[in-house]
């Protein structure tokens, strides 16, 4: 565990550093279990073993926090969510680091919450208020530009959308209200599908575990107040 920690601390590649740290954590857990078994067997002179383990536990925890913080900062810097657009530069390296360290992916849950708050809830509120938007016009493009985050690589992908709400407003009052509502919901579902397809491919990099986290956060049964 000590050699793995030392190598992780000085490695220039943060992905490799995270992998080495994960190995150090596994090694430490194994050593911890061995000491516990020795205690159960009433083995003598275990004070030194406990001291060694503690001397490893603290720097491993500190290094883990450092890597997780850097990865989460990168994810936040790479993804911008607004009521009418999504912008992302590949956060794939950060995801790899977080997965290597078996992180709970709180940052991904936060992304889902932001998407819900800024995009989906306003959409649903407009339906509740009787002022639905649509049809929608979408614009997707890719631009190569610099970014200050050191680990971030690749182009910036953008999805933008705008509403031509007047097209729904012009429906004659004599038309069936139910038919009007169905058309409005159809337009909203079009927006949701388009946004989620972009999130799947560009934001979550088609990573199944991350997609599952976001899907449960957004569309699971409403056990949470911020679920759809």
């Amino acid at each position: 565990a000590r050699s793995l920690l030392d190598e992780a601390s000085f490695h220039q590649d943060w992905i490799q550093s995270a992998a080495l740290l994960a190995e150090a954590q596994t090694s430490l857990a194994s050593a911890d279990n061995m000491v516990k078994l020795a205690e159960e067997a009433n083995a003598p002179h275990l004070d030194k073993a406990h001291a060694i383990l503690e001397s490893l536990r603290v720097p491993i925890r500190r290094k883990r926090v450092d890597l997780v913080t850097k990865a989460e900062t990168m994810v936040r810097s790479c993804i911008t969510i607004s009521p009418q657009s999504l912008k992302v530069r590949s956060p794939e390296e950060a995801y790899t680091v977080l997965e290597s360290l078996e992180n709970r992916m709180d940052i991904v849950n936060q992304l889902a919450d932001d998407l819900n708050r800024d995009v989906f809830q306003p959409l649903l509120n407009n339906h509740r208020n009787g002022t639905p938007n649509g049809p929608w016009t979408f614009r997707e493009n890719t631009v190569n530009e610099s970014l200050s985050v050191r680990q971030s690589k690749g182009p910036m992908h953008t999805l933008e959308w705008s509403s031509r709400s007047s097209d729904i407003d012009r429906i004659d009052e004599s038309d069936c209200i139910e038919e009007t509502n169905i058309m409005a919901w159809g337009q909203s579902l079009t927006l949701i599908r388009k946004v989620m397809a972009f999130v799947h491919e560009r934001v979550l990099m088609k990573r199944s575990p991350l997609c599952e986290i976001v899907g449960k956060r957004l569309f699971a049964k409403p056990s949470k107040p911020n679920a759809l």
Side-chain angles (χ1 to χ4, degrees):
R2 173 71 67 183
S3 61
L4 289 168
L5 173 61
D6 291 342
E7 192 173 353
S9 298
F10 295 103
H11 208 290
Q12 296 298 314
D13 185 329
W14 73 323
I15 293 179
Q16 185 62 29
S17 179
L20 290 166
L21 188 64
E23 290 185 47
Q25 288 178 308
T26 300
S27 180
L28 178 62
S30 178
D32 212 1
N33 287 333
M34 291 176 63
V35 172
K36 288 179 181 178
L37 290 174
E39 286 180 327
E40 293 173 1
N42 296 317
H45 311 304
L46 292 176
D47 291 346
K48 186 174 181 180
H50 282 296
I52 293 173
L53 290 177
E54 190 61 26
S55 71
L56 290 169
R57 191 174 289 112
V58 173
I60 285 176
R61 186 185 302 119
R62 186 182 298 119
K63 181 62 177 178
R64 185 182 186 280
V65 169
D66 180 53
L67 285 173
V68 168
T69 300
K70 288 181 179 179
E72 291 181 340
T73 298
M74 178 181 171
V75 172
R76 291 190 187 95
S77 299
C78 288
I79 301 169
T80 303
I81 300 173
S82 74
Q84 292 185 309
S85 69
L86 290 173
K87 296 181 179 181
V88 58
R89 183 186 289 270
S90 173
E92 189 164 12
E93 289 189 6
Y95 290 153
T96 299
V97 168
L98 293 173
E99 288 177 347
S100 293
L101 298 174
E102 297 182 351
N103 184 260
R104 293 184 306 170
M105 293 296 181
D106 291 338
I107 186 64
V108 177
N109 279 319
Q110 184 60 56
L111 290 174
D113 291 344
D114 292 346
L115 187 65
N116 185 31
R117 183 196 64 225
D118 294 339
V119 180
F120 295 148
Q121 281 300 326
L123 184 70
L124 296 180
N125 288 338
N126 285 339
H127 279 278
R128 296 187 186 104
N129 296 333
T131 56
N133 299 105
W136 299 93
T137 299
F138 300 97
R139 180 172 177 266
E140 188 170 350
N141 64 3
T142 300
V143 177
N144 288 297
E145 58 182 37
S146 61
L147 194 68
S148 60
V149 180
R150 179 179 59 84
Q151 294 93 344
S152 180
K153 299 177 181 178
M156 178 71 75
H157 302 283
T158 302
L159 174 67
E160 298 174 310
W161 55 90
S162 58
S163 170
R164 302 193 306 275
S165 57
S166 58
D167 289 2
I168 290 181
D169 294 341
R170 284 198 296 268
I171 296 176
D172 192 86
E173 292 182 1
S174 63
D175 288 345
C176 176
I177 294 177
E178 182 178 356
E179 183 177 343
T180 302
N181 289 336
I182 290 173
M183 186 173 73
W185 275 109
Q187 297 294 342
S188 295
L189 289 173
T190 297
L191 173 62
I192 292 171
R193 283 196 298 268
K194 186 73 173 179
V195 168
M196 291 308 299
F198 184 87
V199 169
H200 170 256
E201 181 176 0
R202 301 300 190 186
V203 177
L204 303 178
M205 313 299 294
K206 300 182 180 179
R207 289 176 176 246
S208 295
L210 304 187
C211 294
E212 183 177 355
I213 291 172
V214 171
K216 287 181 177 179
R217 191 75 167 181
L218 290 174
F219 304 114
K221 292 181 180 180
S223 58
K224 301 182 181 63
N226 58 353
L228 284 180

